[in-house]
Amino acid sequence: MFANLDQIFVLLKQWAVGWLPASWQAAAGVLLCVVAIICVFPGLFAITVLLERKGLGRMQNRYGPNRVGIFGILQPVADGIKSLTKEDLVPLSADAVVHFIAPVFLVVVVFMGYAVLPMGRNMTLVHLDAALLFYFAIGASTELSVFMAGWSSRNKYSLLGAMRAVAQMISYEVPLLMSSVAVVMITGSLSLDKIVAAQNQYTWGLPHWYIFTPWGFAGFAMFAIAATAETNRSPFDLPEGESELVAGYFTEYSGFKFAEFFLGEYVGMLSISGLGTTLFLGGWSSPLAVLGWVPSWFWFFAKIMLSMCVYIWMRGTLPRLRQDQLMNFAWKFVLPLTLLNLFVTALWRFMGDGWERWLVCSAILVLAYVVMGRTGMHRDHLGARRYRYAD
Amino acid sequence: MGFVFYVIVALTLAGALAAVLLKNTVHCALALTVAFAGLALQFLELDAQFAGFAQILVYVGAVAILVVFAILLTRGSETPKDGVFSRTWLAGLAIAAAVFAVLGWAVLGSAQALPGPGGARTAPPTVTVLQIGNALMSRYVLPLEIVALLLTAALIGAVMVAMHEKAGTQ
Amino acid sequence: MTESELMDATKPEGWNRPPAVKLDGEGEVLEISMGPHHPSTHGVFRMDLKLDGERVIGLKPEFGYLHRNHEKIAEGISYLACMPYTDRLDYICSLTNNWAYALAVEKLAGLAVPERAEYLRVILGELTRVQNHLGAIGFLIQDMGASGTPLMYAFREREKILDRFEELTGSRMMCNYMRFGGCRVDATPAWLDGVRNVVAGLPAFVDEFEALLRTNEILMARTQGTGILRPELAINAGVTGPMLRASGVNYDIRKVDHYGIYDRFKFRVPLGDHWDVYDRFMVRLLEARESIKILEQALKDIPGGPVMDPKAKIRGFRPKAGEAYGRIEAPKGELGFYLISDGGPNPYRYRVRPPSLINLTVLEDMALGQNVADVVLILGSVDIVLGEVDR
Amino acid sequence: MLGEGILKGLAETARNFVGSYFSAERLTTVQYPEQRIAPIEATRDFPFLVYDGADWEAGLRCVACQICEKECPPKCIYIEKSTGKKPDALGKPQFYPARFDIDISVCMSCQICVEVCPFEAIKMDTEFELSTTDRFGGLLYDRKELAKSNEHYHKIHPTEAAAVDAHLAGEKAKADAKTKAAAAAATAKAAASAAPPAGGGA
Amino acid sequence: MTPLTAYLLVAALLFAIGLAGALTRRNAILVLIGIEMMLNAANLNLIAFWRYGPHPEALTGMMFAIFSIAVAAAEAAVGLGLVISIHRHAHTTDVDLMNRMKG
């Protein structure tokens, strides 16, 4: 029963495909999966947007949307209809073709990343041996779309936003890759299926997720920072820079094209959360061995929605950084730490089992973090201040 | 050797031609990206997964962006007024045509001598990333190290060349 | 010592504003027009920015989009009818505007203010200061991209203060409460109890606000060392208010002029030592704390009695010919009204010294050499209200 | 330590997030059309003209003295004095406004007209839902639209209205006393003037 | 025409296009684009030879292509750095105008 529930989507697909002639089955299966992905993740996007607006509202002591439907659950529908019916403006001097291609390209590229994510037991669309490489190759292409959008709008704000976005995404791609390499070093494979399988083991009922190791924790933290920057989310949302660049690279987009950018951003967030989940949080494996009966896809989606909540929480709290600080943070703090983390990972690998490696690895990482944080703050003369008073 | 091949080839060549012929520099760079992506697809079609993904990662993700950045930094996106092509464009074109003629003649002429049993494709070799990694670390370790050195040197060199000379300009 | 030597010796740095950044000719200068339709120019305010990359090398503020001819209108209407117009100067703090104008007219006409009215003025003025400072901090952090969370918290408290204003004066923002020789209506004991309740809740709120912001690393990184205003320049440019005190100059008109009954209260003046945006932000926060202290004292000691000078006339008010300048420490700085009377029912000449406008004049000096993202921050730290800048 | 302040901030927003579900102090939003803030007595929005009795035209307290028109800061009041006079509440013949228009779209709710009115004739309303589809005419109120009964005034500003009524009653009593005295004097005088001849006649 | 020949012809065509671009365009960045294209044509050759060669499991051609990609990336970085540097000195990216040896 539970096994069937776990495999329900796989079985459904087989059942649906079974009606077709044998030669079509493989292609139809893939097509079905693609359609499923294209339906599910925009649905999650709608839920996330609603969750974000409600969550931000509550953090700011407001209700958030609560007028459309009960508790406002139809708000995304209303938003969608609104953006579809809005006029699609293209600035007179814009490069119309590139202006049109940019959002389409973004959405296409972002969806391609899902091809390799294992969303449950036996629920990977394409079993690639170099899945991680594929993911990063695809992820790197989103920058181009951002650039196209910013450049083709012929707006100075857009161009500034696009330049910022591209510089930021290139900078943070390096730590993103580097922190993932640690996982590859331990697993010995670029295949995401194998990475999940390696984490789907239990000792005393507790999972072998990589986040529960010193290097994995550090790697996850770095990955999370880099992923936030990659998706242009607060506190790294300066390409959009609401308060200075108005909306950055998509200032000149309206109506459906704007919705596409919005969709691309959120689907990208979901996708990179999925990657982080797969790499560090055990993918679809359950957090406790006794919960193994719960369907694996439930855990995957629960984990990515949880990380979306963290995104929202951060957005509700943190102001944004400045461009140079962002770059300094990437190159002077995150990148050295990820490199150190690679070293620590190697140490972990070769120190063998035992408590010593826990101690040594944690000590190195904590020490490095504290020292680098202190020197960084000290270098920029940052810190809480005391104030004098005159009577 | 089917439909897919022709589509990919058309995409690649169209991208390449556009990259060479278009007036607007940024359009050229974007067309170049298309050509690179087409090449990556050809690599995938040739069962060279790793090389294909590396191609996308390096060319689409990095080199194209670099080119675009360079264009913007040099204000090259403004179309020049006095002609797009070099004064010696005719000679250039002639040379290129000649080179293509020679290469094509050579390829067609040596078709019989080329490997491949009767032109049919052999069974796709199963190349895992593990094999590539092992090869890189054993047989190709020296080239790997040299490439690493080269990349480091190029990194430093590029930074040095493009760096703002702050002290000097005042 | 010759005169020129004396000049050199006493000439403070920043006297004649050396260009902080020289255009080195090799970078491309990007000129962007920020505003008047821009989310963080706090109204219809425009800046012509010259950027080298993202560094500001020139900034030309353009005001006047909200010019309403206030001073000329005032010459055509009676003294009393000017009062509601002063509400609209700095529409966040209408009560302090009322106070400054009433003070000027009282000087002109030689009216005395009953003690209870003085206390009421202090209470209302300090409540205004608290809500203005909290709102200003909220807007400042909003400009930094914190999704408005601190702003919402500030507005939540401001709401309580505005409710008290409405109970007493009949209006939330356009209070039009003070009159020449007192206040329009008397406060009931119930109102005073309500204010006591609000004031009792304020310290806890300020603590919460500080916990959210004061040690936030991103905020420190953004604001510390940004937008430095040297004290010499601040004095020379006529900057007043929290901006001046954040530049380390001890100048508070409540202490200097002893207007009203401020001599009776114990409070301190916080001063900044680093002269940057963080200091301006903290000085406002600390000033809000001091204001709460004043409020507590005033609410304890408020006496009974009338609230209007019996000699004051509502209809047919004609002060004798003469001139007067009344100024107070408004939340944004020195707010002064200069009046000339020719004995008629209208002011012969009416002139406002608006703190926002004069504090804004140093914007370029603070912004030169900074990042474009910092410009909005620096503008936010000046705390302008366009109604007052353009009048 | 780097990150400490960020964590503190995150804790703060989390507390507010949870708090907004439990504490009414935090979640202060009023769901406007369904919920309303309890009316505050001192609230003022736009002026109206008070009338006594049942007939608005006869009962208007306004005597078209035009002080408010003169004092109004944005000059949104327009008054035309009547040619004839009619008796007011005190029985004294007074002018009345043949036309009394207020352009609500210009009015800035400053209450100066109320303060300067010597006849307690113009007061501030609390009605604020005044949206109209007619941009110009819809917000230009004439005296019929402006006239509201004294009961309405009592309903929206009870304390103030009671004071005004007491004041007016005092004036009326004074005036009545005065007229009575005058009448008495007149009758006395009449009696006196009538008496001597009568007396003389007697 | 064997498939290999087809790939080789495509590569030759790509090479010729790249060469033409490098020789005819005036913008230094576009010249660089042409050079990149020629390098890519060579990569295509390498992969095709690897795939149709007798010993694909030896990975030689693929390795060569991967190294070539890495070298091309380095070349692009340095080349573009040079272009930017020249632009800073000479205020032009026109190769026809870059005719001075001194900056």
Side-chain angles (χ1 to χ4, degrees):
Chain A
M1 162 65 197
F2 286 129
N4 279 348
L5 200 61
D6 184 26
Q7 293 298 303
I8 185 159
F9 295 114
V10 181
L11 294 172
L12 269 176
K13 187 187 94 179
Q14 279 166 0
W15 173 80
V17 168
W19 296 94
L20 294 167
S23 58
W24 292 11
Q25 282 189 358
V30 171
L31 199 68
L32 206 63
C33 292
V34 170
V35 169
I37 286 174
I38 288 178
C39 293
V40 166
F41 284 94
L44 279 183
F45 152 69
I47 295 174
T48 312
V49 171
L50 183 64
L51 203 67
E52 168 151 37
R53 291 178 63 180
K54 299 279 274 186
L56 275 184
R58 284 292 172 169
M59 273 176 222
Q60 299 172 355
N61 301 318
R62 299 184 281 114
Y63 283 104
N66 62 352
R67 292 287 156 143
V68 193
I70 182 165
F71 297 122
I73 48 170
L74 294 181
Q75 187 68 41
V77 180
D79 288 349
I81 292 171
K82 188 191 86 174
S83 65
L84 276 174
T85 51
K86 269 197 159 182
E87 187 186 356
D88 178 27
L89 288 170
V90 180
L92 197 62
S93 62
D95 196 319
V97 178
V98 182
H99 193 262
F100 172 75
I101 293 173
V104 180
F105 182 73
L106 178 72
V107 171
V108 169
V109 162
V110 157
F111 271 109
M112 278 169 81
Y114 288 105
V116 293
L117 283 184
M119 298 173 203
R121 200 173 277 125
N122 306 328
M123 278 170 70
T124 316
L125 179 56
V126 188
H127 298 272
L128 279 183
D129 194 39
L132 197 61
L133 190 67
F134 170 80
Y135 191 93
F136 284 121
I138 291 301
S141 318
T142 52
E143 289 151 25
L144 213 61
S145 143
V146 167
F147 167 78
M148 277 154 70
W151 176 78
S152 66
S153 297
R154 296 284 159 82
N155 176 324
K156 286 168 181 172
Y157 287 107
S158 297
L159 193 62
L160 264 179
M163 296 290 264
R164 277 183 179 189
V166 172
Q168 167 180 341
M169 286 161 100
I170 285 191
S171 307
Y172 277 92
E173 215 156 75
V174 181
L176 192 75
L177 247 157
M178 288 291 189
S179 52
S180 317
V181 165
V183 174
V184 176
M185 279 168 72
I186 293 291
T187 319
S189 172
L190 282 172
S191 160
L192 293 178
D193 296 320
K194 285 187 187 150
I195 289 173
V196 176
Q199 296 179 73
N200 191 16
Q201 303 164 22
Y202 298 88
T203 315
W204 307 323
L206 293 172
H208 284 209
W209 293 359
Y210 289 142
I211 193 175
F212 298 132
T213 56
W215 63 269
F217 184 77
F220 179 69
M222 299 301 150
F223 184 90
I225 290 171
T228 316
E230 272 294 291
T231 48
N232 300 337
R233 280 290 290 195
S234 174
F236 304 106
D237 59 345
L238 6 61
E240 284 153 46
E242 184 64 35
S243 55
E244 64 256 18
L245 294 184
V246 194
Y249 54 89
F250 52 81
T251 303
E252 296 291 359
Y253 281 89
S254 63
F256 191 59
K257 286 191 210 153
F258 175 80
E260 275 176 284
F261 269 114
F262 208 50
L263 175 77
E265 183 185 332
Y266 277 81
V267 172
M269 278 158 67
L270 285 163
S271 146
I272 211 149
S273 308
L275 184 69
T277 303
T278 306
L279 290 179
F280 296 99
L281 302 177
W284 42 260
S285 65
S286 67
L288 291 171
V290 290
L291 292 174
W293 54 271
V294 179
S296 55
W297 44 266
F298 171 79
W299 291 119
F300 178 79
F301 286 104
K303 283 171 193 172
I304 63 172
M305 286 319 276
L306 199 70
S307 39
M308 295 312 276
C309 292
V310 176
Y311 269 125
I312 294 167
W313 188 11
M314 289 203 296
R315 173 159 178 213
T317 310
L318 301 179
R320 79 171 70 85
L321 280 164
R322 201 171 59 208
Q323 186 68 17
D324 53 328
Q325 290 163 348
L326 183 92
M327 289 298 177
N328 280 345
F329 190 62
W331 294 107
K332 293 186 184 165
F333 187 81
V334 182
L335 187 61
L337 270 186
T338 46
L339 289 174
L340 184 79
N341 194 35
L342 285 187
F343 169 74
V344 169
T345 313
L347 210 64
W348 176 271
R349 175 98 198 242
F350 292 111
M351 270 178 87
D353 289 332
W355 59 271
E356 295 96 339
R357 66 175 183 176
W358 282 85
L359 197 71
V360 173
C361 291
S362 323
I364 294 175
L365 286 170
V366 170
L367 196 74
Y369 176 74
V370 171
V371 168
M372 288 185 65
R374 281 275 163 85
T375 46
M377 299 273 283
H378 193 71
R379 188 184 54 228
D380 298 335
H381 309 287
L382 303 181
R385 292 177 183 167
R386 300 183 67 79
Y387 284 84
R388 64 194 166 91
Y389 287 92
D391 274 325
Chain B
M1 198 64 209
F3 177 66
V4 179
F5 173 76
Y6 287 113
V7 169
I8 295 173
V9 165
L11 183 77
T12 313
L13 291 183
L17 275 175
V20 171
L21 293 177
L22 285 179
K23 235 176 163 174
N24 191 319
T25 330
V26 174
H27 286 169
C28 288
L30 295 176
L32 179 75
T33 322
V34 175
F36 285 160
L39 266 173
L41 289 178
Q42 286 194 9
F43 289 2
L44 293 182
E45 210 237 337
L46 285 166
D47 303 307
Q49 253 185 27
F50 193 85
F53 294 155
Q55 168 89 4
I56 296 181
L57 188 65
V58 172
Y59 277 104
V60 180
V63 172
I65 296 286
L66 263 182
V67 167
V68 153
F69 245 88
I71 290 171
L72 287 186
L73 284 178
T74 56
R75 280 292 167 105
S77 56
E78 286 151 16
T79 325
K81 286 184 186 71
D82 50 340
V84 191
F85 296 108
S86 177
R87 277 186 287 276
T88 53
W89 68 273
L90 204 62
L93 206 62
I95 293 171
V99 166
F100 175 64
V102 170
L103 284 177
W105 172 74
V107 167
L108 290 175
S110 61
Q112 300 312 313
L114 287 176
R121 201 181 272 201
T122 46
T126 48
V127 183
T128 60
V129 182
L130 196 67
Q131 280 173 340
I132 295 175
N134 282 337
L136 277 178
M137 281 298 153
S138 53
R139 201 169 150 204
Y140 298 98
V141 71
L142 188 66
L144 181 74
E145 292 302 322
I146 293 172
V147 164
L149 201 67
L150 176 80
L151 280 176
T152 315
L155 190 73
I156 297 171
V159 169
M160 291 299 286
V161 165
M163 206 161 60
H164 246 291
E165 293 160 39
K166 267 196 186 122
T169 48
Q170 291 302 312
Chain C
M1 202 185 269
T2 65
E3 196 181 340
S4 68
E5 274 172 353
L6 189 73
M7 281 294 287
D8 283 343
T10 55
K11 191 157 69 180
E13 242 179 291
W15 169 263
N16 49 7
R17 206 211 265 173
V21 184
K22 223 188 280 173
L23 229 169
D24 50 7
E26 70 173 34
E28 299 284 347
V29 179
L30 182 65
E31 286 182 33
I32 61 174
S33 165
M34 211 179 223
H37 301 289
H38 191 279
S40 47
T41 50
H42 296 234
V44 277
F45 171 63
R46 187 161 78 91
M47 292 176 271
D48 276 341
L49 284 176
K50 282 199 179 68
L51 302 181
D52 171 24
E54 291 218 7
R55 200 174 49 139
V56 178
I57 54 174
L59 187 155
K60 198 169 135 233
E62 301 260 352
F63 351 95
Y65 289 92
L66 200 62
H67 182 62
R68 292 152 320 195
N69 214 0
H70 172 61
E71 287 163 3
K72 194 70 194 168
I73 287 176
E75 288 168 19
I77 54 178
S78 70
Y79 284 92
L80 177 65
C82 287
M83 187 59 92
Y85 276 113
T86 63
D87 289 340
R88 274 99 181 146
L89 282 176
D90 175 359
Y91 41 76
I92 307 279
C93 341
S94 64
L95 281 160
T96 45
N97 300 342
N98 284 178
W99 192 356
Y101 178 55
L103 205 68
V105 177
E106 279 152 14
K107 266 192 187 173
L108 191 66
L111 291 167
V113 182
E115 194 158 331
R116 185 173 171 83
E118 289 280 23
Y119 269 91
L120 278 175
R121 285 180 177 191
V122 167
I123 290 169
L124 291 168
E126 294 307 318
L127 279 176
T128 305
R129 193 183 314 279
V130 171
Q131 58 105 346
N132 176 71
H133 281 355
L134 294 180
I137 293 167
F139 276 118
L140 176 60
I141 312 234
Q142 163 92 330
D143 287 346
M144 236 179 282
S147 308
T149 308
L151 183 66
M152 286 293 167
Y153 295 168
F155 269 37
R156 188 185 72 208
E157 296 310 302
R158 178 170 177 260
E159 207 62 11
K160 294 174 188 162
I161 295 174
L162 291 191
D163 281 347
R164 300 289 88 74
F165 285 175
E166 186 176 0
E167 264 176 42
L168 181 66
T169 69
S171 185
R172 302 166 71 75
M173 288 173 80
M174 303 297 138
C175 294
N176 183 21
Y177 177 65
M178 292 176 195
R179 290 289 177 265
F180 321 126
C183 299
R184 188 160 53 85
V185 287
D186 196 2
T188 59
W191 183 82
L192 284 173
D193 284 340
V195 173
R196 280 187 194 109
N197 266 340
V198 170
V199 171
L202 279 176
F205 167 69
V206 178
D207 287 342
E208 189 183 294
F209 209 52
E210 223 180 292
L212 178 66
L213 301 171
R214 186 174 187 171
T215 54
N216 187 319
E217 280 81 3
I218 297 177
L219 187 133
M220 289 199 288
R222 280 303 296 279
T223 54
Q224 295 193 348
T226 304
I228 287 176
L229 175 63
R230 307 186 64 81
E232 301 87 3
L233 177 63
I235 294 170
N236 290 332
V239 170
T240 46
M243 283 249 312
L244 182 65
R245 293 192 282 276
S247 287
V249 181
N250 177 17
Y251 181 75
D252 186 326
I253 299 173
R254 289 176 293 180
K255 295 276 190 193
V256 176
D257 259 21
H258 315 284
Y259 70 93
I261 47 164
Y262 273 111
D263 284 345
R264 302 187 191 178
F265 305 115
K266 270 176 71 77
F267 66 99
R268 301 173 301 168
V269 181
L271 299 172
D273 286 327
H274 296 81
W275 319 332
D276 53 14
V277 175
Y278 187 79
D279 270 0
R280 271 165 239 151
F281 148 75
M282 278 309 288
V283 161
R284 290 210 169 88
L285 202 65
L286 298 173
E287 263 183 31
R289 283 190 189 281
E290 296 300 318
S291 288
I292 296 170
K293 276 188 208 159
I294 299 178
L295 279 169
E296 282 162 356
Q297 297 169 41
L299 285 167
K300 207 172 73 205
D301 306 338
I302 183 164
V307 291
M308 269 303 264
D309 184 359
K311 281 188 291 180
K313 283 182 4 184
I314 290 286
R315 286 184 290 271
F317 179 74
R318 285 165 186 264
K320 60 185 183 303
E323 58 182 314
Y325 179 66
R327 60 173 189 174
I328 64 159
E329 179 72 27
K332 293 182 170 64
E334 175 184 337
L335 174 65
F337 283 84
Y338 175 62
L339 298 169
I340 301 179
S341 165
D342 57 356
N346 308 338
Y348 175 74
R349 176 81 176 96
Y350 173 103
R351 156 89 186 137
V352 188
R353 184 226 185 263
S356 288
L357 171 68
I358 291 166
N359 291 353
L360 197 57
T361 53
V362 287
L363 185 65
E364 181 175 13
D365 301 82
M366 290 192 284
L368 280 184
Q370 303 279 357
N371 194 296
V372 61
D374 288 334
V375 171
V376 292
L377 211 57
I378 293 167
L379 180 68
S381 76
V382 178
D383 185 15
I384 56 165
V385 161
L386 260 295
E388 192 176 65
V389 173
D390 291 341
R391 300 189 305 293
Chain D
M1 186 91 154
L2 185 68
E4 204 177 340
I6 291 174
L7 292 180
K8 243 190 244 174
L10 286 173
E12 194 58 51
T13 39
R15 217 169 62 215
N16 272 286
F17 179 81
V18 177
S20 70
Y21 283 100
F22 297 109
S23 140
E25 272 286 288
R26 288 198 196 276
L27 193 65
T28 48
T29 313
V30 176
Q31 303 265 318
Y32 162 60
E34 296 94 27
Q35 290 176 18
R36 273 155 193 279
I37 302 176
I40 294 176
E41 209 191 313
T43 308
R44 58 167 198 259
D45 277 299
F46 296 107
F48 68 96
L49 297 176
V50 190
Y51 68 86
D52 297 308
D55 180 14
W56 69 268
E57 204 164 2
L60 274 186
R61 290 179 187 169
C62 179
V63 299
C65 67
Q66 292 178 320
I67 293 180
C68 54
E69 188 185 17
K70 255 178 236 133
E71 283 286 339
C72 176
K75 308 280 183 231
C76 67
I77 305 178
Y78 177 77
I79 302 174
E80 262 174 32
K81 211 179 249 191
S82 61
T83 42
K85 290 187 177 187
K86 65 178 183 186
D88 66 352
L90 306 179
K92 215 158 89 183
Q94 292 274 27
F95 291 107
Y96 59 92
R99 223 176 127 187
F100 196 111
D101 294 345
I102 296 184
D103 191 344
I104 296 294
S105 64
V106 173
C107 173
M108 56 196 217
S109 312
C110 65
Q111 208 177 4
I112 296 254
C113 51
V114 176
E115 273 170 71
V116 297
C117 181
F119 299 96
E120 312 280 7
I122 188 165
K123 293 292 167 197
M124 299 305 276
D125 205 345
T126 53
E127 176 66 30
F128 60 91
E129 287 153 317
L130 298 165
S131 56
T132 167
T133 47
D134 179 5
R135 191 146 65 103
F136 301 106
L139 290 169
L140 181 66
Y141 285 9
D142 61 13
R143 56 186 189 142
K144 180 159 191 274
E145 285 161 302
L146 287 169
K148 297 210 173 127
S149 68
N150 197 18
E151 285 74 52
H152 174 77
Y153 182 35
H154 270 278
K155 210 167 78 198
I156 56 175
H157 301 301
T159 326
E160 195 187 306
V164 166
D165 271 11
H167 173 229
L168 285 180
E171 296 241 311
K172 190 166 167 57
K174 239 189 274 171
D176 279 354
K178 217 163 143 193
T179 43
K180 213 177 266 173
T187 44
K189 203 171 164 198
S193 60
Chain E
M1 188 161 62
T2 64
L4 181 56
T5 320
Y7 281 109
L8 294 186
L9 275 180
V10 170
L13 198 53
L14 202 61
F15 185 87
I17 294 172
L19 185 65
L23 290 178
T24 57
R25 297 305 293 252
R26 300 172 70 170
N27 191 324
I29 294 170
L30 291 174
V31 173
L32 211 69
I33 286 180
I35 294 170
E36 288 292 331
M37 224 180 280
M38 291 194 276
L39 272 168
N40 269 286
N43 280 354
L44 182 60
N45 265 359
L46 292 173
I47 297 276
F49 275 123
W50 163 75
R51 181 65 182 78
Y52 288 95
H55 299 291
E57 67 281 353
L59 294 175
T60 319
M62 177 121 111
M63 282 300 160
F64 219 107
I66 290 170
F67 286 129
S68 159
I69 289 174
V71 172
E75 175 252 330
V78 175
L80 292 171
L82 279 172
V83 170
I84 290 171
S85 175
I86 290 170
H87 178 261
R88 204 167 277 154
H89 278 286
H91 296 280
T92 180
T93 52
D94 192 333
V95 279
D96 288 358
L97 301 178
M98 290 180 199
N99 47 14
R100 284 184 304 166
M101 297 289 275
K102 268 170 78 179

